[in-house]
Amino acid sequence: MSAETLVRIIFVFYAALFGIVIGSFLNVVIYRTPAGKTIAKGHSMCMSCGHTLAAKDLVPLFSWLFLKGKCRYCGAPIASRYAKIESLTGLVFLLTALLHTDTAFVLLLDGTGVFVYMFIYYVLFIIACTAVISSMMIWYDTSKSFMRLSLIPVVTGFIAVFVLSLMSSGGLSFFEISKRLMVWAGSVIVITLVATIAGMAVRKSFSMEEIGLDILFAGIFSFSYYLWFAKWYIAVPVIAVSYGLVRALSSGKAKRYSGIFGAALVIIFMLIVYFINK
Ligand SMILES: [Zn+2]
């Protein structure tokens, strides 16, 4: 095995482990945000017997696996949902790390400083992904969206486009950087508007909760701006209409799944773009 392959494997492995730990934190966010509670840690105890849980019972995902989904003290079953969200977050981190292994590679071998920008971009994308996971689960539970979560992909997306504009070869003028940011912002607005209008046409109702969800997904889609780049003017209408359809069609009983459907669509688009660019 070459040193390069080893670096890539280590990077992906630690990203997945880190994702599982972050997933455990997201479980707290998903539970506490709609309840209006602060995300500070209290004592964890078994929901059935009330026994205070020790550190060994609280290792994300692995405790649940080793205890076979049962309480160590009373044997009552523990909901698999927490372990599922931890696995999902681990998987998202693993996938994004796989698509970004070049980041880890240049991190060690590239002396030019380009890696710093690539790494910042990667971290911003991961933060945006955690906001999407939390939001789609909160939407599933409560049909509510929270602007402070919805705006995370938009803010991180804005910084990512700015950072990648700075690293463009040859250096960009202030005018060119502003132009890229304007195009990016315009696409976020277009995707949000198309999705909102499509949804309203079907549901015949208007709600800030729905718009919050659309802003969230417009933000995460806009991360692929640099991947499409020259084709972005084609990509935005395609993305906006596809997402608008998914949101419009997932009304009624499917409504609570619309966050999850939206997230699946984001993943599909990201993978398509990745393989087009490969
Ligand atoms: Zn118990």
Side-chain angles (χ1 to χ4, degrees):
M1 191 192 297
S2 70
E4 183 188 331
T5 312
L6 190 65
V7 169
R8 288 176 193 267
I9 291 173
I10 291 171
F11 176 64
V12 172
F13 176 75
Y14 278 101
L17 277 189
F18 187 58
I20 291 169
V21 174
I22 295 294
S24 169
F25 169 71
L26 296 187
N27 275 320
V28 180
V29 173
I30 293 162
Y31 171 66
R32 300 207 173 201
T33 305
K37 292 179 184 169
T38 54
I39 302 159
K41 220 172 158 85
H43 273 293
S44 297
M45 55 174 80
C46 170
M47 298 289 213
S48 297
C49 65
H51 198 294
T52 305
L53 299 179
K56 63 181 174 182
D57 304 318
L58 293 167
V59 180
L61 183 60
F62 295 101
S63 288
W64 187 83
L65 288 177
F66 287 127
L67 294 170
K68 299 190 177 71
K70 293 191 179 97
C71 171
R72 187 193 298 277
Y73 310 99
C74 69
I78 303 166
S80 61
R81 172 183 160 129
Y82 304 103
K84 281 178 189 160
I85 290 171
E86 284 152 9
S87 316
L88 173 71
T89 313
L91 185 69
V92 168
F93 276 49
L94 184 144
L95 270 178
T96 45
L98 264 181
L99 302 183
H100 286 85
T101 49
D102 292 340
T103 308
F105 192 50
V106 287
L107 190 64
L108 289 188
L109 303 180
D110 181 271
T112 62
V114 167
F115 76 85
V116 177
Y117 291 111
M118 290 300 291
F119 194 68
I120 292 172
Y121 181 82
Y122 170 67
V123 171
L124 289 166
F125 182 60
I126 283 291
I127 294 171
C129 286
T130 60
V132 171
I133 294 171
S134 318
S135 298
M136 74 182 198
M137 288 315 299
I138 291 174
W139 182 265
Y140 176 82
D141 289 342
T142 65
S143 290
K144 280 186 182 149
S145 68
F146 292 84
M147 269 309 163
R148 60 181 178 275
L149 288 177
S150 297
L151 286 177
I152 289 175
V154 179
V155 173
T156 49
F158 180 88
I159 300 170
V161 170
F162 183 68
V163 164
L164 283 191
S165 296
L166 285 183
M167 72 170 268
S168 285
S169 54
L172 293 175
S173 64
F174 173 74
F175 175 76
E176 184 61 28
I177 294 177
S178 317
K179 199 181 102 188
R180 289 186 181 191
L181 288 172
M182 297 278 275
V183 170
W184 171 87
S187 15
V188 172
I189 293 168
V190 166
I191 297 170
T192 305
L193 276 180
V194 170
T196 302
I197 291 167
M200 275 170 62
V202 172
R203 285 185 296 271
K204 298 179 177 63
S205 66
F206 173 89
S207 104
M208 282 310 287
E209 304 289 355
E210 305 272 355
I211 294 176
L213 200 64
D214 296 337
I215 291 174
L216 175 94
F217 284 108
I220 192 81
F221 273 131
S222 74
F223 261 89
S224 57
Y225 171 63
Y226 264 93
L227 299 171
W228 291 94
F229 211 55
K231 299 192 189 82
W232 189 240
Y233 294 98
I234 305 166
V236 168
V238 173
I239 290 169
V241 171
S242 317
Y243 177 67
L245 278 176
V246 165
R247 292 281 286 118
L249 294 175
S250 47
S251 56
K253 273 188 181 170
K255 190 186 165 195
R256 60 192 308 222
Y257 291 97
S258 59
I260 296 169
F261 291 155
L265 192 68
V266 175
I267 293 171
I268 292 167
F269 265 109
M270 290 288 193
L271 288 175
I272 291 173
V273 170
Y274 178 75
F275 287 108
I276 286 176
N277 281 279
K278 214 167 157 61

PDB file of all heavy atoms in Angstrom, residues 7 34-35 89 111 117 143 182 201 243-244 249 261 263:
ATOM      1  N   VAL A   7      -2.785   7.493   3.732  1.00  0.00           N
ATOM      2  CA  VAL A   7      -3.251   8.804   4.196  1.00  0.00           C
ATOM      3  C   VAL A   7      -4.750   8.953   3.908  1.00  0.00           C
ATOM      4  O   VAL A   7      -5.521   9.393   4.757  1.00  0.00           O
ATOM      5  CB  VAL A   7      -2.463   9.950   3.515  1.00  0.00           C
ATOM      6  CG1 VAL A   7      -3.114  11.300   3.783  1.00  0.00           C
ATOM      7  CG2 VAL A   7      -1.023   9.954   3.990  1.00  0.00           C
ATOM      8  N   PRO A  34     -36.642  22.163  19.201  1.00  0.00           N
ATOM      9  CA  PRO A  34     -38.098  22.445  19.183  1.00  0.00           C
ATOM     10  C   PRO A  34     -38.661  22.647  20.583  1.00  0.00           C
ATOM     11  O   PRO A  34     -39.669  23.333  20.753  1.00  0.00           O
ATOM     12  CB  PRO A  34     -38.707  21.178  18.561  1.00  0.00           C
ATOM     13  CG  PRO A  34     -37.581  20.460  17.911  1.00  0.00           C
ATOM     14  CD  PRO A  34     -36.351  20.821  18.684  1.00  0.00           C
ATOM     15  N   ALA A  35     -38.012  22.059  21.600  1.00  0.00           N
ATOM     16  CA  ALA A  35     -38.503  22.190  22.971  1.00  0.00           C
ATOM     17  C   ALA A  35     -38.104  23.532  23.571  1.00  0.00           C
ATOM     18  O   ALA A  35     -38.488  23.851  24.698  1.00  0.00           O
ATOM     19  CB  ALA A  35     -37.975  21.038  23.824  1.00  0.00           C
ATOM     20  N   THR A  89     -25.006  10.332  10.368  1.00  0.00           N
ATOM     21  CA  THR A  89     -24.023  11.421  10.385  1.00  0.00           C
ATOM     22  C   THR A  89     -22.628  10.872  10.079  1.00  0.00           C
ATOM     23  O   THR A  89     -21.870  11.471   9.311  1.00  0.00           O
ATOM     24  CB  THR A  89     -24.030  12.140  11.742  1.00  0.00           C
ATOM     25  OG1 THR A  89     -25.385  12.415  12.108  1.00  0.00           O
ATOM     26  CG2 THR A  89     -23.264  13.444  11.683  1.00  0.00           C
ATOM     27  N   GLY A 111       2.808  22.184  -0.405  1.00  0.00           N
ATOM     28  CA  GLY A 111       3.408  23.250   0.379  1.00  0.00           C
ATOM     29  C   GLY A 111       2.915  24.620  -0.029  1.00  0.00           C
ATOM     30  O   GLY A 111       3.372  25.632   0.483  1.00  0.00           O
ATOM     31  N   TYR A 117      -7.258  26.413   1.919  1.00  0.00           N
ATOM     32  CA  TYR A 117      -8.552  26.802   1.358  1.00  0.00           C
ATOM     33  C   TYR A 117      -9.446  25.589   1.168  1.00  0.00           C
ATOM     34  O   TYR A 117     -10.625  25.610   1.465  1.00  0.00           O
ATOM     35  CB  TYR A 117      -8.353  27.514   0.022  1.00  0.00           C
ATOM     36  CG  TYR A 117      -7.717  28.863   0.159  1.00  0.00           C
ATOM     37  CD1 TYR A 117      -6.422  29.092  -0.290  1.00  0.00           C
ATOM     38  CD2 TYR A 117      -8.413  29.918   0.753  1.00  0.00           C
ATOM     39  CE1 TYR A 117      -5.835  30.337  -0.160  1.00  0.00           C
ATOM     40  CE2 TYR A 117      -7.826  31.166   0.881  1.00  0.00           C
ATOM     41  CZ  TYR A 117      -6.543  31.368   0.431  1.00  0.00           C
ATOM     42  OH  TYR A 117      -5.965  32.585   0.563  1.00  0.00           O
ATOM     43  N   SER A 143     -42.736  19.208  12.052  1.00  0.00           N
ATOM     44  CA  SER A 143     -43.102  20.074  10.919  1.00  0.00           C
ATOM     45  C   SER A 143     -42.774  21.538  11.204  1.00  0.00           C
ATOM     46  O   SER A 143     -43.507  22.432  10.809  1.00  0.00           O
ATOM     47  CB  SER A 143     -44.587  19.941  10.575  1.00  0.00           C
ATOM     48  OG  SER A 143     -44.832  18.688  10.002  1.00  0.00           O
ATOM     49  N   MET A 182     -22.513  37.546  -6.055  1.00  0.00           N
ATOM     50  CA  MET A 182     -23.855  37.973  -6.472  1.00  0.00           C
ATOM     51  C   MET A 182     -24.578  36.832  -7.191  1.00  0.00           C
ATOM     52  O   MET A 182     -25.760  36.594  -6.960  1.00  0.00           O
ATOM     53  CB  MET A 182     -23.778  39.181  -7.413  1.00  0.00           C
ATOM     54  CG  MET A 182     -23.178  40.409  -6.798  1.00  0.00           C
ATOM     55  SD  MET A 182     -24.367  41.331  -5.815  1.00  0.00           S
ATOM     56  CE  MET A 182     -25.115  42.295  -7.100  1.00  0.00           C
ATOM     57  N   ALA A 201     -48.412  26.446  -4.624  1.00  0.00           N
ATOM     58  CA  ALA A 201     -49.389  26.129  -5.668  1.00  0.00           C
ATOM     59  C   ALA A 201     -50.113  24.830  -5.339  1.00  0.00           C
ATOM     60  O   ALA A 201     -51.302  24.696  -5.604  1.00  0.00           O
ATOM     61  CB  ALA A 201     -48.680  26.013  -7.025  1.00  0.00           C
ATOM     62  N   TYR A 243     -36.116  20.334  -6.950  1.00  0.00           N
ATOM     63  CA  TYR A 243     -36.402  20.458  -5.522  1.00  0.00           C
ATOM     64  C   TYR A 243     -37.832  20.966  -5.290  1.00  0.00           C
ATOM     65  O   TYR A 243     -38.545  20.469  -4.418  1.00  0.00           O
ATOM     66  CB  TYR A 243     -35.376  21.377  -4.848  1.00  0.00           C
ATOM     67  CG  TYR A 243     -35.682  21.590  -3.389  1.00  0.00           C
ATOM     68  CD1 TYR A 243     -35.581  20.532  -2.491  1.00  0.00           C
ATOM     69  CD2 TYR A 243     -36.144  22.818  -2.930  1.00  0.00           C
ATOM     70  CE1 TYR A 243     -35.907  20.706  -1.162  1.00  0.00           C
ATOM     71  CE2 TYR A 243     -36.470  23.001  -1.604  1.00  0.00           C
ATOM     72  CZ  TYR A 243     -36.352  21.938  -0.728  1.00  0.00           C
ATOM     73  OH  TYR A 243     -36.688  22.112   0.579  1.00  0.00           O
ATOM     74  N   GLY A 244     -38.259  21.946  -6.120  1.00  0.00           N
ATOM     75  CA  GLY A 244     -39.618  22.468  -5.999  1.00  0.00           C
ATOM     76  C   GLY A 244     -40.648  21.357  -6.162  1.00  0.00           C
ATOM     77  O   GLY A 244     -41.616  21.284  -5.410  1.00  0.00           O
ATOM     78  N   LEU A 249     -44.749  17.827  -4.121  1.00  0.00           N
ATOM     79  CA  LEU A 249     -45.379  16.510  -4.136  1.00  0.00           C
ATOM     80  C   LEU A 249     -45.437  15.878  -2.751  1.00  0.00           C
ATOM     81  O   LEU A 249     -46.280  15.026  -2.488  1.00  0.00           O
ATOM     82  CB  LEU A 249     -44.646  15.577  -5.113  1.00  0.00           C
ATOM     83  CG  LEU A 249     -44.755  16.004  -6.572  1.00  0.00           C
ATOM     84  CD1 LEU A 249     -43.915  15.101  -7.469  1.00  0.00           C
ATOM     85  CD2 LEU A 249     -46.214  15.999  -7.044  1.00  0.00           C
ATOM     86  N   PHE A 261     -36.673  13.680   1.890  1.00  0.00           N
ATOM     87  CA  PHE A 261     -36.635  13.601   0.421  1.00  0.00           C
ATOM     88  C   PHE A 261     -35.707  14.678  -0.145  1.00  0.00           C
ATOM     89  O   PHE A 261     -34.927  14.416  -1.061  1.00  0.00           O
ATOM     90  CB  PHE A 261     -38.041  13.812  -0.173  1.00  0.00           C
ATOM     91  CG  PHE A 261     -39.005  12.680   0.108  1.00  0.00           C
ATOM     92  CD1 PHE A 261     -40.371  12.910   0.121  1.00  0.00           C
ATOM     93  CD2 PHE A 261     -38.542  11.401   0.355  1.00  0.00           C
ATOM     94  CE1 PHE A 261     -41.265  11.865   0.378  1.00  0.00           C
ATOM     95  CE2 PHE A 261     -39.421  10.347   0.607  1.00  0.00           C
ATOM     96  CZ  PHE A 261     -40.793  10.590   0.624  1.00  0.00           C
ATOM     97  N   ALA A 263     -33.169  16.105   1.303  1.00  0.00           N
ATOM     98  CA  ALA A 263     -31.767  15.782   1.593  1.00  0.00           C
ATOM     99  C   ALA A 263     -31.269  14.704   0.634  1.00  0.00           C
ATOM    100  O   ALA A 263     -30.135  14.768   0.148  1.00  0.00           O
ATOM    101  CB  ALA A 263     -31.623  15.320   3.034  1.00  0.00           C
TER     102      ALA A 263
END
